[in-house]
Every structure is written in structure tokens, then in C-alpha cells.
Amino acid sequence: MKVLITGIDGYSGWPLALHLLARGHDVAGVDSLVTRKRVKEVGSWSATPIPPLPRRLAAVQEVLGKEIRFYRGDLSDWALVRHVLETERPESIVHLAEQRSAPYSMIDVHHAVATQVENLTGTLHLLFAMKEVVPEAHLVKMGTMGEYGTPNTDIPEGFFETEFRGRKDTLPFPRQAGSWYHWSKVFDSGDVMFASKIFRLRATDVMQGVIYGIRTPEITDDRLLTRFDFDETWGTALNRFIAQAVLGLPLTPYGKGEQKRGFIALEDSMQSLRLAVEHPAQPGEYRVFNQFDAAYSVNELAERVARVAADLGLHPTIDHPPDPRVEAEQHYYNPIHEHLPRLGYQRTRELDDVIREIFHDLIRYRRRLAARQYVLAPTVNWRLPDSRPLLGARNAAGAAPAPAPAEPTGPSSANSVA
Ligand code: USQ
């Protein structure tokens, strides 16, 4: 199948391209490379060294013997979006090109606005371009489980049956997002649902849980590694906890640590996106998949990381910094996730095995973590606007960091855990 991936240079976009190529799909991608810039903006870098895009593409050619057609540009550019769709005429579009960080969107008014304008504009451009150029194509849109928030009821897959004053209907389940980023995804979902109705587009909205992991089977060469963020803004909980353990820093479940989320391994997330691509929605159909394997509290994650770390001879402690976010620190959480298994989805990775795998890689790249250690502390506070005055220029204590050493691109020596 001809698949276009928007956001192909990102954490999920890159391994998805490799996964689809390995299964015989034809892959093209578009990306503005803005995540690379934004990670620099907060003073960080990927723990795994990511080659410049042309070298990444050359590595795909050399290692996998496959070609990815690449377009550099931003989905805010209507002419570019039309051009890519007219040139590629994809059968399926996996839309990942959005600002993906909740803390980044909470930094100040400018980051909130940039997040919402960018995410909504890109999606609207894609929807209109699909209508004009490839109305038969299927859109697989990356949403987020965080759109639902943490209601005190089970969470259905997008829609639920309800009765009010004696009348029944099937309606979208209420959304109660917890950041400007998560709200941008809610608004996007509304736009995709509406466009599928009026333009009769095929659409799947994937409510993605928190993804963890560093490797997929197609990553057989260091040049094919995906990015791995560990800073407060771009790194997600489990990935950050492992980076903290490698550096001998306390793990940081925020507040009481009983906030639960749905989690899925990177490799299984790729499997589920492929299944969505290979089983398109019907014309005019807007369907919603909840995409995660199991729910864990952040305390459980920290404890599991600490156990695996102990097996590796590390002895991390667990700290509970005050929660910088406005979120329930203890709550009911039981989302339903049945649609993907009906398409054949099966979990293949166990949490502890992936934690071990991430440790293995992060120990190799310990020097890169150590050189950016100051980005780990939480400084973006949901309650205080403009809580982080100078991105990338201050450490947690408010002092400017020492000038950054040159970026080490090779792994540290294998046993440099201390
Ligand atoms: N958390 C900690 N300690 C940390 C970092 C995070 O306790 O050091 C907590 C947060 O307070 C939150 C939970 O871990 O309760 C998850 O936070 P996260 O940073 O791992 O993930 P989140 O901000 O929710 O966003 C991530 C991705 C986003 C995706 C979302 C899926 O960055 O793109 O949409 O996961 S979900 O969480 O289901 O909405």
C-alpha cells in the first residue's frame, strides 16, 4: 500500500516507516524537522544520536535496500500539503506531524498558541487536501488517551450509549483534557470527525497511550535508531525514569504517584498503526481506537525500573517531587481497548523486557545523558504562567548551565555505568 507519514523524522514516525517498509509497503514522508529544533530550545538532545535526515535516508537504502521519498516542509504550508498529496497520491496517510508534548504547551502563552495553531492548521490542511486530491484515501490520525482525562467511569472507544430525559443516543464520550496540547488533540478529533461526515473521508483516530521503548526489530544498525528524549519537556515518564537511574539520580513520580495512564511499547504501537493502515475505515466512517496494553501508575513504573536497575547493579532511589501538573494524583482508570485486538493486534513486548532493553542502550549512551543532566528536573508548572523564563538557559536551580560540551555521537564504553 502507498503510505504517507507526516512527521516521519519523529520518535514514532521513523520506526513506523521502517516497520511498514519491512512489510512491503511503499513509504513517503514529510517533516519540517521542528522537533530537533524544539528539543534544542529546551537545552536538550536525544539520548540516541540522530543523524541528519539525508544520512538517515541513506542508511535505510544501505541497510534495508529500500527507499523513502522525503519532502521537507511544514503542514502549515497549504501549497506544500497539496503538492505532496498530488505527487504521492497515497492510499493511506498516517498523521503524526503535531507538537506532541504536554509540558511544552504549558510553558507560556506563546507555546500554548503555537501548539494549538500548528496542530489544528496542519490537520485541517490535510483534511481539505484529502478531499480535493485523494478522497478515497484513509487518514490514520494520532490522537491521545489524554483527551478523555480521568473520569470516574470506564472509558469507551470514542463513543458511548447514553440516555437523558428518556431519550437514547450514541454520542462522543466527553473529553476532559489536561493540557493545552491534549486540548489541541480534542479539537483535532472534532475536525476529523466532522470532515469524515461532510467530505465522506475514511478516518481512524488512534487514542494513543504513553509509548515507551527505544528499539523495534527493524532497527538493526545504530544509524537507524529513533530519537529518545529524556528531558522534562519531551521525555515521557518511563523513559525519564530509566535515564535517571542510569545517571544515579532519584526517579521522579510526581506527587502521590498514583496517577495512572495506559502504556504501550514502541514496537507494539507500530504494529497497531500498521493494522489500522491495512484495515481502512469505510468512506464516511470515523472510528476511534484506544491504543495501549496495560494501565500502570507512575509509582508502579518507578518500582519496576528500580527492580531492573538493581539487577544491573544500580541502586536508584525514588523521590516524589511536588506534582508540577494539575492532574488527579489518585483516580479510577479503566479504558476499554477492544477494537485493535479485533483486527488481530497482540501484545508482543513485556514491560520489564523493554525496560532492560532501554537500560542497555542508555548505558551505552550514558555520556550523552550526563552532558544534559540538568534538563531532567521539572520546571514547567501548570499553575504558573511563564513558569520557565529562559528555556535551555537555566538549570533547575535557576543557574545557567556550563557551556554544553560538543555532542558525543558514539556510544560510551559499554560498562561505564558508574
Ligand atoms: N510523570 C511523573 N514523573 C515524571 C514525568 C511524568 O510522574 O518525571 C507523570 C505525569 O505527571 C503524568 C504521567 O507521568 O501523570 C504521564 O506523563 P508523561 O510525560 O509520560 O506523558 P504525557 O505528558 O501524558 O504525554 C505523553 C506523550 C503524548 C501522548 C501522551 C499519551 O508525550 O504525546 O499523547 O503521552 S497520554 O498520556 O495517554 O495522554
Side-chain angles (χ1 to χ4, degrees):
M1 193 179 283
K2 279 195 85 171
V3 186
L4 174 71
I5 302 174
T6 72
I8 196 169
D9 190 48
Y11 174 61
S12 294
W14 184 251
L16 178 65
L18 304 183
H19 180 85
L20 292 174
L21 284 174
R23 280 151 192 85
H25 295 291
D26 174 277
V27 176
V30 56
D31 204 299
S32 66
L33 310 187
V34 71
T35 300
R36 294 181 187 232
K37 271 198 221 137
R38 285 184 169 154
V39 174
K40 263 193 208 148
E41 182 197 344
V42 301
S44 191
W45 58 34
S46 164
T48 45
I50 302 302
L53 210 271
R55 277 209 268 136
R56 267 189 139 177
L57 297 173
V60 171
Q61 184 74 262
E62 196 186 311
V63 179
L64 303 179
K66 309 261 184 177
E67 193 207 349
I68 297 175
R69 293 176 304 286
F70 177 70
Y71 300 80
R72 180 165 180 182
D74 203 303
L75 300 190
S76 65
D77 178 348
W78 167 241
L80 171 102
V81 176
R82 269 202 72 122
H83 167 71
V84 173
L85 263 58
E86 276 164 356
T87 313
E88 288 297 326
R89 304 218 154 247
E91 296 163 275
S92 193
I93 299 171
V94 185
H95 179 29
L96 308 173
E98 296 204 336
Q99 194 298 85
R100 63 165 158 95
S101 160
Y104 188 84
S105 75
M106 300 301 290
I107 289 171
D108 60 17
V109 59
H110 307 295
H111 291 79
V113 170
T115 300
Q116 295 209 348
V117 169
E118 191 174 297
N119 291 358
L120 291 171
T121 308
T123 301
L124 277 171
H125 279 167
L126 263 184
L127 292 168
F128 273 82
M130 284 178 72
K131 171 201 161 220
E132 291 180 17
V133 182
V134 281
E136 279 299 311
H138 172 213
L139 177 68
V140 178
K141 164 77 171 65
M142 188 59 99
T144 171
M145 285 299 296
E147 292 185 30
Y148 302 118
T150 52
N152 196 30
T153 65
D154 289 358
I155 299 174
E157 297 196 75
F159 294 88
F160 76 133
E161 285 172 15
T162 184
E163 184 176 341
F164 183 59
R165 295 190 173 181
R167 298 190 67 82
K168 290 185 185 166
D169 203 349
T170 299
L171 296 175
F173 190 72
R175 304 302 208 252
Q176 305 183 78
S179 72
W180 301 121
Y181 153 74
H182 285 99
W183 277 110
S184 77
K185 293 284 194 177
V186 175
F187 304 144
D188 260 355
S189 285
D191 287 346
V192 174
M193 182 168 66
F194 184 60
S196 62
K197 188 161 142 190
I198 58 167
F199 301 154
R200 289 199 56 74
L201 298 181
R202 305 165 188 262
T204 303
D205 208 349
V206 180
M207 300 293 135
Q208 165 223 228
V210 188
I211 304 178
Y212 58 89
I214 203 162
R215 288 201 170 258
T216 60
E218 294 78 29
I219 299 176
T220 51
D221 182 294
D222 278 356
R223 289 169 300 164
L224 297 181
L225 279 166
T226 190
R227 58 176 313 108
F228 187 95
D229 295 298
F230 55 98
D231 65 276
E232 166 210 14
T233 316
W234 298 98
T236 53
L238 185 84
N239 290 359
R240 284 165 47 71
F241 293 167
I242 300 171
Q244 288 163 337
V246 168
L247 290 172
L249 297 169
L251 315 190
T252 57
Y254 295 152
K256 293 193 179 80
E258 288 304 318
Q259 47 280 56
K260 282 194 174 165
R261 296 291 181 271
F263 288 83
I264 186 165
L266 182 62
E267 184 178 336
D268 286 331
S269 168
M270 301 303 102
Q271 180 201 161
S272 57
L273 291 175
R274 173 177 54 80
L275 285 169
V277 164
E278 290 174 347
H279 299 85
Q282 296 302 311
E285 184 187 8
Y286 166 78
R287 60 184 187 180
V288 178
F289 294 170
N290 290 350
Q291 185 221 48
F292 70 99
D293 273 319
Y296 305 100
S297 71
V298 285
N299 279 342
E300 280 175 271
L301 294 183
E303 283 154 18
R304 280 173 181 253
V305 168
R307 273 204 299 275
V308 176
D311 289 347
L312 296 170
L314 299 163
H315 302 287
T317 54
I318 299 179
D319 207 1
H320 283 272
D323 194 339
R325 305 187 183 198
V326 177
E327 60 184 353
E329 291 173 21
Q330 271 176 322
H331 57 87
Y332 179 76
Y333 198 62
N334 189 31
I336 293 162
H337 49 133
E338 294 169 349
H339 289 173
L340 279 162
R342 273 192 218 128
L343 296 184
Y345 173 80
Q346 284 186 325
R347 178 180 189 169
T348 64
R349 301 305 313 270
E350 290 306 319
L351 180 58
D352 288 0
D353 295 340
V354 179
I355 293 176
R356 216 172 286 279
E357 189 173 271
I358 301 174
F359 263 113
H360 175 77
D361 275 313
L362 291 196
I363 288 167
R364 292 171 66 222
Y365 288 111
R366 187 183 186 284
R367 273 195 304 161
R368 293 179 60 87
L369 297 178
R372 288 292 184 273
Q373 181 161 328
Y374 55 85
V375 300
L376 276 154
T379 60
V380 179
N381 192 310
W382 262 225
R383 288 171 184 85
L384 309 174
D386 300 5
S387 56
R388 191 169 183 176
L390 249 184
L391 293 174
R394 291 175 190 278
N395 64 21
E407 181 172 353
T409 50
S412 321
S413 61
N415 57 359
S416 56
V417 187

